[in-house]
Amino acid sequence: MNQPTDWRPLLEAQTKKPYWHDLIAFVNSERAAGKVFPKGEDVFKALHLTPYQDVRVVILGQDPYHNDGQAMGLSFSVPKGEKLPPSLQNIYKELATDLGKTPPTTGDLTHWAQQGVLLLNSVLTVQAHQAASHQGKGWETFTDAILKAVNDKPDHVVFILWGGFARKKKVLIDTSKHTVIESAHPSPLSSYAGFFGSKPFSKTNHALQAHNQKPIYW
């Protein structure tokens, strides 16, 4: 496991637990038998692009995109040149109405990650074309440990929780210390049931500025 140095001591204990060895054996067997997304070198990209000490915002996704060329190790993000998935299209629509910004033409959210936005999926791998195929195999235990580590930071962090799955993670967050922004998921199935108009981007920046932190340039 190739983690950035400042995450390593926080997560090293996880990699010594029985579930971790079972998880890695499962992912390796899936890769041997077929196609798994994202590529091996991108599985921990969120941790590489956003060091622990820099985390100011967390956007929690569920599992990686399962179609060819989409998953890149950052929640909701796709590489430059890829067609925008429906959820990301809706995120950009809300960004436009919330902040009056012209929506980006690329779905690559690296520039968010580099500003301290941890784009974390709860499950870090998926079998090609089979949504949720790696859920319940151990990734959730690992990513919950990441959320707990971020919760333990002395600095204020904004947690953005979209949809029922993400909102269940609120129990891991000390809301007296951190800000939680929650709404419906941006997917087409639920975006009109509370995602549109939720203003997560302006709310995040207001919360950061209220704690003397730099706003995110979305």
Side-chain angles (χ1 to χ4, degrees):
M1 179 178 175
N2 184 21
Q3 293 167 9
T5 50
D6 77 338
W7 284 104
R8 189 183 299 276
L10 300 166
L11 300 173
E12 199 164 26
Q14 298 298 315
T15 66
K16 293 179 167 53
K17 293 181 178 180
Y19 88 85
W20 178 261
H21 300 288
D22 293 342
L23 169 62
I24 297 306
F26 167 75
V27 173
N28 287 341
S29 69
E30 289 279 278
R31 288 197 190 277
K35 200 184 290 185
V36 169
F37 299 131
K39 295 180 291 187
E41 62 265 30
D42 288 341
V43 170
F44 302 108
K45 181 176 273 191
L47 304 182
H48 284 282
L49 289 180
T50 312
Y52 178 72
Q53 65 177 8
D54 295 343
V55 175
R56 298 188 289 135
V57 179
V58 177
I59 297 180
L60 185 66
Q62 193 157 353
D63 58 351
Y65 295 121
H66 58 85
N67 288 328
D68 292 281
Q70 292 183 314
M72 58 179 293
L74 303 175
S75 60
F76 297 103
S77 182
V78 293
K80 286 183 174 68
E82 282 296 315
K83 182 182 175 186
L84 300 185
S87 291
L88 187 53
Q89 289 182 37
N90 287 339
I91 289 169
Y92 280 177
K93 285 178 188 173
E94 179 62 19
L95 178 63
T97 56
D98 185 5
L99 299 180
K101 284 190 64 164
T102 303
T105 54
T106 173
D108 187 342
L109 302 178
T110 296
H111 64 293
W112 292 3
Q114 291 171 333
Q115 295 178 76
V117 181
L118 181 65
L119 295 167
L120 182 69
N121 279 318
S122 187
V123 175
L124 298 186
T125 56
V126 68
Q127 189 176 354
H129 316 301
Q130 295 196 34
S133 50
H134 288 188
Q135 287 183 15
K137 302 297 184 181
W139 279 128
E140 295 91 341
T141 303
F142 181 70
T143 54
D144 279 0
I146 294 173
L147 292 173
K148 290 172 186 172
V150 174
N151 179 66
D152 289 342
K153 280 173 67 87
D155 307 318
H156 165 262
V157 176
V158 178
F159 291 83
I160 299 176
L161 307 178
W162 287 328
F165 180 88
R167 293 167 89 166
K168 288 176 184 171
K169 304 296 184 179
K170 190 174 178 179
V171 297
L172 304 176
I173 302 164
D174 180 354
T175 55
S176 68
K177 182 169 69 168
H178 303 300
T179 298
V180 174
I181 295 170
E182 52 184 319
S183 74
H185 195 275
S187 75
L189 295 174
S190 55
S191 55
Y192 287 95
F195 176 72
F196 287 134
S198 62
K199 300 185 180 299
F201 306 103
S202 60
K203 286 177 180 176
T204 294
N205 281 350
H206 289 150
L208 291 171
Q209 290 171 305
H211 288 82
N212 300 311
Q213 294 169 299
K214 274 176 55 179
I216 303 298
Y217 182 72
W218 300 103

